[in-house]
Amino acid sequence: MIGPILLDAAMGTRLIARGLDLTRDDPSLWNLDRPESVAAIHRLDIEAGADAVTTNTFGANRLWLARYGRAADVVAINRQAATLAREAAGPDRLVLGCLGPTAPGSEDEAEQARLLADEGVDALLLETNRTTEPIGDRLQRLHKVVGLPMIVTYALVADDDPLPAFDFDPDEVGLQAIGWNCIPPDRAVTLPDRLRRPVGLPLVMRPSGGGWEGEIPRLLDCGVRYFGGCCGTTEADVADLRRALGPPQRARPSG
């Protein structure tokens, strides 16, 4: 059985603390414009005990970068992001290539996935998806493009949001785990039972805040194998989770 694997905390939160202004800038641009800040944050997560770091590429596709006049930098941004993450992770920890929901199913998304795969990420992490939007075709397309293991997380918007629709075989698209990100911890800890039974995959928990470490034994029993933090979390939350999870157990997704 996989894990548990400790993921990192929020990149954007800590870049904002270092001066990022989201009204005119994007976190992914800092891979080129302020690489020392991105690298420092990756190192903080590793030092706090993370088993994996996520590339700073949530919006690093050509379509999204065009909003800032930086579409021509898409190759350099993704390559640099993967390099910064891998340098911090070293050979024994995972690097997850982050794809946000800004260009789902498009050639722009496929291009970004290729760039990250070419730079040696271990898996793709598709973050902040809506459960109301089918994802099977998107996963199949990406799997054909790169053949990497994939992890999917959803951001529930309302209490009555439906469960994700799974009209495909997870093995055929390399899907390794599913779960949630960017939701409050008190809601996040109530969700695993909703998804574990119908899907049967390892689960991911990346709430937007800490303080839920006491729930880890129950969450492990519910099938959660990937733990981390989303918006508002820092390396301090990673350290708290590391203490609660115990010593690292190295494991690489396989596809």
Side-chain angles (χ1 to χ4, degrees):
M1 182 173 290
I2 193 170
I5 291 176
L6 178 54
L7 307 177
D8 49 6
M11 175 63 71
T13 293
R14 289 173 287 177
L15 292 181
I16 290 170
R18 287 163 168 77
L20 173 68
D21 181 355
L22 290 178
T23 65
R24 56 181 177 80
D25 204 352
D26 185 80
S28 65
L29 301 181
W30 280 40
N31 294 314
L32 296 184
D33 300 345
R34 295 275 297 276
E36 69 284 354
S37 294
V38 176
I41 291 169
H42 285 318
R43 289 195 299 269
L44 288 171
D45 285 327
I46 293 297
E47 291 166 2
D51 298 312
V53 292
T54 307
T55 59
N56 179 35
T57 53
F58 183 81
N61 60 74
R62 190 177 295 272
L63 177 67
W64 184 257
L65 294 174
R67 294 163 57 103
Y68 305 92
R70 300 287 293 272
D73 290 332
V74 64
V75 173
I77 286 172
N78 282 277
R79 285 179 174 170
Q80 176 79 320
T83 296
L84 294 172
R86 177 58 70 194
E87 288 177 350
D92 298 326
R93 295 175 176 86
L94 298 167
V95 172
L96 307 182
C98 178
L99 301 179
T102 54
S106 69
E107 180 52 40
D108 291 322
E109 181 178 62
E111 176 189 36
Q112 185 186 2
R114 288 189 200 97
L115 291 169
L116 293 171
D118 288 347
E119 293 304 311
V121 301
D122 298 294
L124 295 181
L125 173 62
L126 283 64
E127 286 193 310
T128 322
N129 299 285
R130 295 179 63 94
T131 62
T132 54
E133 296 176 356
I135 202 168
D137 289 346
R138 183 181 173 196
L139 292 176
Q140 290 171 357
R141 176 181 173 85
L142 289 173
H143 189 64
K144 289 178 180 178
V145 168
V146 298
L148 285 174
M150 285 186 280
I151 299 168
V152 173
T153 57
Y154 295 90
L156 297 186
V157 177
D159 289 336
D160 60 353
D161 276 359
L163 291 176
F166 286 92
D167 55 352
F168 58 92
D169 183 345
D171 290 337
E172 292 182 357
V173 296
L175 186 60
Q176 299 292 303
I178 57 174
W180 297 270
N181 73 292
C182 205
I183 55 175
D186 59 345
R187 288 189 65 196
V189 298
T190 69
L191 293 171
D193 275 334
R194 294 183 62 194
L195 201 54
R196 175 64 172 175
R197 290 190 181 95
V199 177
L201 287 170
L203 300 183
V204 186
M205 295 284 289
R206 298 193 77 183
S208 53
W212 51 284
E213 296 80 19
E215 296 281 351
I216 284 179
R218 182 182 67 81
L219 294 172
L220 286 168
D221 288 342
C222 290
V224 180
R225 291 294 177 267
Y226 294 82
F227 297 83
C230 198
C231 302
T233 60
T234 72
E235 64 276 5
D237 297 289
V238 175
D240 288 343
L241 287 169
R242 180 80 279 161
R243 285 188 288 269
L245 286 168
Q249 299 181 41
R250 305 292 181 233
R252 288 180 176 269
S254 59

